[in-house]
Amino acid sequence: MELTQNTELRTIEDEDEISLLDIIQFFRRNWTFMAWGTLGLSAVAIALSLLMPKQYQKQLTLSVTPVPISVAGIPGVDIQQASNKTVKLLENYYDKIDETDVKPTYNTETQQIDITMRSPDTGFLAEAGSQVSTLLQQEFQDTLGKAIANSLFSTELEITKQQQVLEQLEQQIAQVRDSNGIDPERIRTTLRLEALETQRAEVVARIASLEFDKQYLEPAQENLAEFTAQVISIQLLSESKVEPTRSLVQIAVLAAIASFMVAILAAIIRDQARRLKDELSQKK
């Protein structure tokens, strides 16, 4: 009894297994269907891809190198900070333009920015290199312009404050000198005078430093474009040609592969449907 059951189970398992011969017979039965299906689906896919707007791409490589600024109110940035800021500027700007895909990435090893641009407009891509350089120059110029204006405002306020402090110190020094005639108070007066003169020297040095910053910032504000070019070096290192994202050969190959897979699936369904139909007819 057990031997009979084991034999039946093995027979069922053998029927469920797919051998190499089954695969060869399957392709032999359906090769015409799969061939015509692959050709038909490939033709449809290629035709649809040709009817769709063509996409073109371009590769750019930039370097953004800042020059350290030792002026109060204008924060200095290193090359990584400047490059990360550049990436965000490009993402925010081109995200608003329809049918344009721009992907900037900062390469920490080369310290360069790689930009991949895709668009159906070849004219836009042809001018992309100069447009990107101009855009970044203008964005950094606007950022520096605001920082310079704020720094000048703060510097002028601080100069006014320090000048008032200097006037008060001058008055106190004059008063101490006038009271220097009394002998018992002479030592105390001398010490007080030395302390006031030290404070005055510090205030004078502070005013001189602020005046230097002001003399540096005012010409920078008047010639903002030239100043920006001096403190932020933006170089277009490489610029590729405008090329289609995919050639006709690539489209044809991908269409053929995808169509062949779909044709195989359709052939399997078709084959199983035939087998099921035959089994049902035999039972009747």
Side-chain angles (χ1 to χ4, degrees):
M1 183 72 177
E2 291 181 359
L3 182 60
T4 305
Q5 290 178 349
N6 291 335
T7 303
E8 291 177 354
L9 287 173
R10 287 175 184 173
T11 303
I12 294 172
E13 289 176 357
D14 291 341
E15 289 178 355
D16 291 338
E17 290 180 356
I18 299 175
S19 65
L20 179 61
L21 181 61
D22 293 332
I23 296 174
I24 294 173
Q25 289 176 349
F26 168 77
F27 278 100
R28 185 175 295 173
R29 289 193 307 270
N30 297 284
W31 72 269
T32 305
F33 174 80
M34 289 188 294
W36 284 108
T38 301
L39 289 174
L41 291 173
S42 297
V44 172
I46 293 172
L48 288 175
S49 65
L50 292 176
L51 290 174
M52 293 175 62
K54 289 185 178 180
Q55 284 286 328
Y56 299 89
Q57 68 179 4
K58 189 172 190 176
Q59 303 285 339
L60 303 175
T61 302
L62 293 175
S63 72
V64 179
T65 308
V67 177
I69 305 173
S70 58
V71 178
I74 301 181
V77 293
D78 58 25
I79 187 169
Q80 184 170 352
Q81 291 173 327
S83 298
N84 289 332
K85 181 178 177 63
T86 300
V87 170
K88 290 181 180 179
L89 285 174
L90 292 173
E91 288 176 342
N92 294 335
Y93 179 80
Y94 286 105
D95 188 51
K96 302 173 185 177
I97 301 178
D98 295 334
E99 299 183 343
T100 299
D101 183 25
V102 177
K103 293 182 179 179
T105 55
Y106 173 59
N107 190 324
T108 55
E109 294 182 0
T110 61
Q111 293 186 332
Q112 296 172 356
I113 301 169
D114 299 318
I115 306 172
T116 301
M117 309 184 78
R118 293 187 177 92
S119 174
D121 187 353
T122 56
F124 167 78
L125 292 176
E127 301 294 331
S130 59
Q131 287 179 356
V132 167
S133 299
T134 303
L135 168 65
L136 293 176
Q137 191 73 21
Q138 187 61 48
E139 290 289 341
F140 279 113
Q141 181 175 319
D142 293 342
T143 302
L144 282 173
K146 293 176 183 178
I148 290 172
N150 292 334
S151 182
L152 266 174
F153 181 74
S154 301
T155 300
E156 289 173 351
L157 283 180
E158 186 65 19
I159 289 174
T160 302
K161 177 183 175 181
Q162 293 298 323
Q163 286 175 342
Q164 292 174 352
V165 172
L166 182 61
E167 290 178 2
Q168 293 175 0
L169 288 172
E170 293 286 2
Q171 292 174 2
Q172 292 177 16
I173 290 172
Q175 291 175 0
V176 171
R177 284 177 177 171
D178 291 342
S179 63
N180 197 23
I182 305 174
D183 291 339
E185 299 292 331
R186 182 169 297 175
I187 297 177
R188 185 182 301 174
T189 301
T190 302
L191 293 176
R192 173 64 174 163
L193 183 61
E194 290 177 355
L196 289 172
E197 288 178 343
T198 301
Q199 291 181 21
R200 181 179 64 177
E202 292 175 353
V203 171
V204 170
R206 176 61 178 160
I207 292 174
S209 177
L210 292 169
E211 289 288 353
F212 176 81
D213 289 347
K214 183 179 178 181
Q215 291 176 3
Y216 180 80
L217 291 171
E218 285 179 338
Q221 189 178 42
E222 293 175 0
N223 303 285
L224 192 55
E226 182 180 348
F227 177 75
T228 304
Q230 291 176 354
V231 299
I232 299 286
S233 174
I234 301 172
Q235 292 183 331
L236 181 62
L237 301 178
S238 65
E239 182 176 8
S240 69
K241 295 180 180 179
V242 179
E243 298 176 344
T245 53
R246 288 179 181 174
S247 65
L248 184 59
V249 175
Q250 290 176 322
I251 294 172
V253 170
L254 291 174
I257 293 172
S259 299
F260 181 67
M261 300 297 291
V262 174
I264 291 176
L265 180 61
I268 292 172
I269 296 172
R270 177 171 173 265
D271 199 57
Q272 291 297 321
R274 281 181 178 178
R275 183 176 296 182
L276 182 61
K277 185 178 179 181
D278 293 340
E279 290 177 358
L280 290 174
S281 62
Q282 289 176 2
K283 289 181 180 179
K284 289 180 180 181

